[in-house]
Amino acid sequence: MTVTQSLPRPSPSASGRGGPALELVGVSRIYRSDAEDVRALDGVDVSIAEGEYVAVVGPSGSGKSTLMHILGCLDLPTEGNYLLAGQDVSSLDEEALAGIRNRRIGFVFQQFHLLASLTAAGNVELPLVYAGVPRAERKERVLEALARVGLAERTEHRPNQLSGGQQQRVAVARALVTEPAILLADEPTGNLDSASTRDILGLFDTLHASGRTIVLITHEHDVAARAGRVLTIGDGHITGDVPGPIYAGAGQR
């Protein structure tokens, strides 16, 4: 099933011409051990504009996931600065960081991370529960989010009653229900077949057109080709930064 629902515009810039949404300045992430220090990221400088759609590619162990964790405020740099909409997140306490993760950033992962005991609606509702949104408003927003991803008829289905592609759409709905301006996706099509991959990438295209900033980590170059810009990372360094038009139309699945 191809998802074509229109989505609200959270940002005035859908073309990537806004101010910086995400900015890394000299960022390193060092994991310390008794044996040796490991620099998962090493002096990374990256600026991603509001409304931009960026793919990050690189081999296993290159630093992709570490980069995603820092962008998502799941981890902090050992060195350098990370500015989210101009604010240095290193100055924030854990409560403030949790608030950013819950309200301003939506996450989609390769593993869907759905709770088996909850229905699709229950899984999508969780971020709103944590945010203290009243019950009536939660129900309305959950139904709207599931309708956006083409699952209006699957609200009461549990994860084991849904296909892999449907489970990933539930995960996308959960990421969208707080209306975040930024969507971070870590290998979101890694467990999907070709048809489900097309659906999810089509949904990301629509989200980008609605003005959201999207950062997608992938090892699949045909998936990266859907983005407007492709960053290549290797050994903790940004080794390539290519505008999307070079990839336009390549390998779309």
Side-chain angles (χ1 to χ4, degrees):
M1 174 181 179
T2 301
V3 181
T4 58
Q5 285 80 0
S6 61
L7 292 143
R9 186 182 183 89
S11 161
S13 172
S15 60
R17 290 190 290 237
L22 311 167
E23 189 171 12
L24 303 180
V25 182
V27 163
S28 297
R29 181 61 175 98
I30 304 169
Y31 295 101
R32 304 192 185 280
S33 69
D34 293 337
E36 62 177 337
D37 292 347
V38 176
R39 284 183 172 265
L41 293 178
D42 191 5
V44 170
D45 295 306
V46 171
S47 181
I48 296 174
E50 292 179 4
E52 198 169 10
Y53 185 175
V54 177
V56 181
V57 299
S60 297
S62 60
K64 299 191 305 296
S65 293
T66 301
L67 177 64
M68 180 67 78
H69 289 164
I70 288 177
L71 292 177
C73 296
L74 297 168
D75 197 3
L76 292 173
T78 308
E79 300 170 351
N81 302 95
Y82 170 37
L83 286 75
L84 178 64
Q87 182 177 21
D88 191 339
V89 302
S90 64
S91 64
L92 304 178
D93 60 22
E94 181 52 40
E95 183 178 358
L97 291 172
I100 287 174
R101 292 192 296 266
N102 194 50
R103 295 179 179 87
R104 297 172 63 182
I105 301 173
F107 296 90
V108 182
F109 299 98
Q110 179 176 356
Q111 305 298 331
F112 314 128
H113 297 304
L114 302 179
L115 295 182
S117 60
L118 296 181
T119 63
N123 274 284
V124 173
E125 185 181 20
L126 283 175
L128 301 179
V129 174
Y130 297 144
V133 175
R135 183 185 299 271
E137 182 181 347
R138 292 202 309 261
K139 181 177 180 180
E140 180 180 348
R141 290 171 66 174
V142 165
L143 294 177
E144 180 184 0
L146 285 167
R148 289 180 199 170
V149 300
L151 292 178
E153 305 302 319
R154 298 288 188 272
T155 60
E156 297 307 310
H157 287 62
R158 285 180 165 74
N160 65 358
Q161 297 172 309
L162 300 171
S163 69
Q166 289 171 333
Q167 290 183 62
Q168 190 61 294
R169 282 192 266 154
V170 172
V172 173
R174 181 181 57 195
L176 295 177
V177 76
T178 58
E179 298 294 349
I182 298 167
L183 184 67
L184 303 181
D186 192 353
E187 300 283 3
T189 62
N191 285 334
L192 303 181
D193 59 25
S194 295
S196 296
T197 292
R198 284 194 297 271
D199 283 350
I200 294 299
L201 293 179
L203 178 57
F204 284 180
D205 290 344
T206 304
L207 292 169
H208 174 234
S210 78
R212 281 179 175 81
T213 304
I214 299 176
V215 181
L216 181 153
I217 285 182
T218 182
H219 67 277
E220 300 176 89
H221 286 271
D222 53 345
V223 172
R226 300 289 285 260
R229 177 181 171 197
V230 179
L231 299 176
T232 303
I233 189 168
D235 296 326
H237 300 272
I238 300 297
T239 60
D241 187 345
V242 182
I246 291 177
Y247 292 82
Q252 294 192 12
R253 294 169 57 175

